[in-house]
Amino acid sequence: MTKYVLNIIREETSNTGLSKPKSDINQTLTSMNYKLINVPLLIGKKQKLVGSLLSVRKIVAQLKREDTLVIQYPTYMGALFDIKLLNVLHTKHIESVALIHDIDALRFQQPFGKGLHYEIFLLNKVNLIISPNSKMTTFLKKNGLKSKCRELKVFDYLTKVDVSNKNIFYSCNVYFTGNLNKSKFIFRLRNSENVHYQLYGPLDQHQNKVAAMYNGSLSSDSLLSAVDNGFGLIWDGDSEQISNLNNSSFGSYLLYNNPYKLSFYLAAGIPVIIWAKAAEAEFVLSNHLGYTINSIDDINNLISTITPNSYQEIIQNVHRIQLKLIHGDYTRNVFDY
């Protein structure tokens, strides 16, 4: 029995962090003797219609009965590819494992027939689901998921930067990194005596509105080196408040997902500030990695209560998790079955 991981090749066009989570999974699994099966990303309706069956044949030609194929979900290869691949794997008795990065029905309005029930229909064709966390697993099970599940807990963050020896120090800087174009709440942020916001990432419009906070877009390695103080903010959406109800928005998606920002901040070595009802708030609190808030408006008062000594205590906990993330330990553990 041979174990494989499907590597769908895409171009990284900006510093949004879209491809790094999947490439890190690939790198860790190949170090565990998984073999890569490379296929190019199908783009557009014509490519997906013409190329799906050819891509599936190319993949399956490399597999034998009782082999294992890890699929990083969603593939973004289209419904024809996904359904055909999973059906063929089942027919040929090849074990399928889907590691969930996102459930798009929870963050975007989907076309008719492509909502949550469709995604669960696909996932029920898989032998084993690697779910981001227990909150996502519970939600999917309540909505009809029958496949066996294991939980990743947090995404690893591999890097060649020597982050473990950084000198992290207390400051009132609050970092927010990633694709700023989808985080409209940043235009509501205001610096104060207690809080200085630092924004990094692609921002196509209205940079002048956050000129005092915006520091441009850096590669992940450059950003890891630059961030050596303060706190990392995990928030999303349009507002300084987030609805508790899922309404297919970026903000409420924090109820279920593992935000990659969390992994970045912990790999950088700084404590985090996260929405109190986010799925990963439990991970943060149970490991003493930072603080929770109900609103962006809470940050000013929160930071005013944190002393340099209490900050350093949190840093020790962050360092412990940092070492696990940069060595791929969470991926290794969830695939150790």
Side-chain angles (χ1 to χ4, degrees), residues 95-154:
E95 182 178 1
S96 55
V97 180
L99 187 150
I100 297 175
H101 288 263
D102 288 299
I103 298 294
D104 282 342
L106 294 176
R107 58 180 185 154
F108 304 121
Q109 292 291 337
Q110 297 294 305
F112 180 77
K114 292 292 181 66
L116 181 61
H117 291 302
Y118 169 73
E119 296 207 50
I120 290 176
F121 161 77
L122 279 182
L123 294 172
N124 275 333
K125 292 178 175 289
V126 176
N127 296 113
L128 174 65
I129 302 294
I130 307 297
S131 173
N133 56 68
S134 61
K135 297 289 180 66
M136 178 70 88
T137 301
T138 299
F139 176 83
L140 294 176
K141 292 284 189 181
K142 284 183 177 178
N143 284 275
L145 182 68
K146 305 298 183 185
S147 300
K148 180 182 176 182
C149 293
R150 292 172 62 87
E151 281 142 15
L152 182 63
K153 297 182 181 178
V154 65

Side-chain angles (χ1 to χ4, degrees), residues 7 61-62 101 120 134 178 182-183 208 210 245 270 298 302 317 337:
N7 179 32
Q62 302 178 59
H101 288 263
I120 290 176
S134 61
K182 67 182 182 65
S183 300
N208 61 306
V210 289
L245 302 175
I270 62 172
D298 297 339
L302 170 66
N317 299 322
Y337 62 88

Side-chain angles (χ1 to χ4, degrees), residues 166-170 175 223-230 268 270 311:
K166 289 170 65 177
N167 181 27
I168 306 297
F169 60 92
Y170 172 84
Y175 293 88
L223 197 53
L224 274 180
S225 299
V227 175
D228 59 4
N229 65 89
I270 62 172
Y311 181 88

